[in-house]
Amino acid sequence: MASPASDETNDTTITVYGFLLGDTPNGDLTPFGTKLLTFLKMSKTDYKYVGFLEHNGSGSPKGKMPWIHAPGLLGDDNIGDSSMIIKALVKADPTKYDFDSHLSAQDKAIGLAMKTMIEESTYWGIVHMRWNTEEFSTVTVPMYFPGYHWSAQKLIGWYLGRSINAQLKGQGTGLLTDEEITTKANAEILALSEFLGTKKYLMGSQITSYDATLYAFLFGIIKGEWNHPVCKKTRG
């Protein structure tokens, strides 16, 4: 369970540096942050959460969020990238953190393929919905930068919008039309739904690390005030 960050963090504490928790404690505004928080909750790991306004990106080993500091478990270096963090935790304490040990090699291959589709393709659809549509100025900027004067929100939004749209184009999603992105994202979500079927969890009756990814990115589409056609269709 998350608690406010303090100056005195003991060696057994995991400190998570994320972007911003939403109106509920269930997730970070970045799906990768929600993925990590979900994984920590799955493993019943206590953690301290530090938002962007407190850390300002200082200390991120890969220049992105989230990252963690867990000196008692992983040494004094900050660890970045949600997948690398989970991998490091599993290596450090497999009894507590390895949720995939019961899976066959084939099941792990399928889980990895699903995870990769979500994180490397569906994610960019989420970025487009938030940063490259009309809801960018009406929903995204106020939600990401609450409490800022409207003029500051406009300036920050303009700067970040340019940067993120350049990333979208560089990745390829930004070269597609909104209709094409919608069709692609809906097809991916349908594939996940078909694979999940009536199973309790993505890979069967037991929870796995892949469920943290599935939950986080669907949460990022379903929750919030965005009403893009993909969000509406996923809410069902």
Side-chain angles (χ1 to χ4, degrees):
M1 182 169 129
S3 59
S6 67
D7 292 333
E8 297 180 0
T9 301
N10 62 49
D11 284 347
T12 62
T13 300
I14 291 180
T15 303
V16 177
Y17 297 86
F19 184 75
L20 178 70
L21 292 178
D23 293 333
T24 71
N26 295 321
D28 195 303
L29 280 180
T30 167
F32 292 101
T34 301
K35 166 191 164 186
L36 177 59
L37 297 182
T38 301
F39 182 83
L40 293 175
K41 290 172 184 176
M42 285 165 49
S43 59
K44 296 181 173 58
T45 299
D46 288 337
Y47 60 88
K48 294 181 182 296
Y49 179 89
V50 182
F52 181 78
L53 292 180
E54 294 176 75
H55 63 68
N56 292 308
S58 177
S60 173
K62 299 187 182 297
K64 60 181 183 178
M65 295 167 280
W67 75 92
I68 68 168
H69 186 232
L73 191 61
L74 302 176
D76 201 45
D77 290 338
N78 291 336
I79 308 296
D81 186 286
S82 59
S83 292
M84 295 300 101
I85 292 168
I86 290 172
K87 185 177 180 179
L89 290 172
V90 171
K91 183 178 180 180
D93 189 350
T95 301
K96 182 173 184 175
Y97 293 109
D98 190 355
F99 290 95
D100 305 336
S101 59
H102 66 286
L103 296 176
S104 67
Q106 184 180 44
D107 284 341
K108 288 180 180 178
I110 293 171
L112 177 61
M114 290 288 182
K115 172 180 174 292
T116 301
M117 179 184 74
I118 296 169
E119 295 184 357
E120 302 296 337
S121 184
T122 309
Y123 167 70
W124 289 103
I126 296 173
V127 173
H128 165 76
M129 293 174 225
R130 294 184 179 184
W131 295 92
N132 200 32
T133 67
E134 292 180 355
E135 291 187 310
F136 159 67
S137 58
T138 59
V139 178
T140 302
V141 172
M143 185 174 288
Y144 273 64
F145 305 101
Y148 282 69
H149 189 271
W150 67 266
S151 59
Q153 288 185 345
K154 187 173 182 179
L155 180 61
I156 295 170
W158 173 81
Y159 177 79
L160 283 180
R162 289 183 62 192
S163 174
I164 292 172
N165 283 327
Q167 293 177 39
L168 277 165
K169 289 181 179 178
Q171 185 270 342
T173 298
L175 302 177
L176 305 177
T177 66
D178 182 72
E179 183 178 356
E180 290 168 336
I181 294 170
T182 298
T183 299
K184 182 171 175 286
N186 282 338
E188 291 167 357
I189 293 168
L190 177 61
L192 289 168
S193 177
E194 291 290 344
F195 182 74
L196 179 62
T198 59
K199 298 193 295 293
K200 185 175 182 180
Y201 299 107
L202 186 63
M203 301 306 299
S205 60
Q206 291 181 241
I207 199 166
T208 67
S209 66
Y210 306 115
D211 290 290
T213 296
L214 177 65
Y215 171 81
F217 284 76
L218 288 180
F219 181 89
I221 294 171
I222 294 171
K223 295 294 183 180
E225 299 177 16
W226 294 281
N227 281 307
H228 189 274
V230 173
C231 300
K232 291 180 179 179
K233 187 174 181 64
T234 305
R235 290 176 190 134

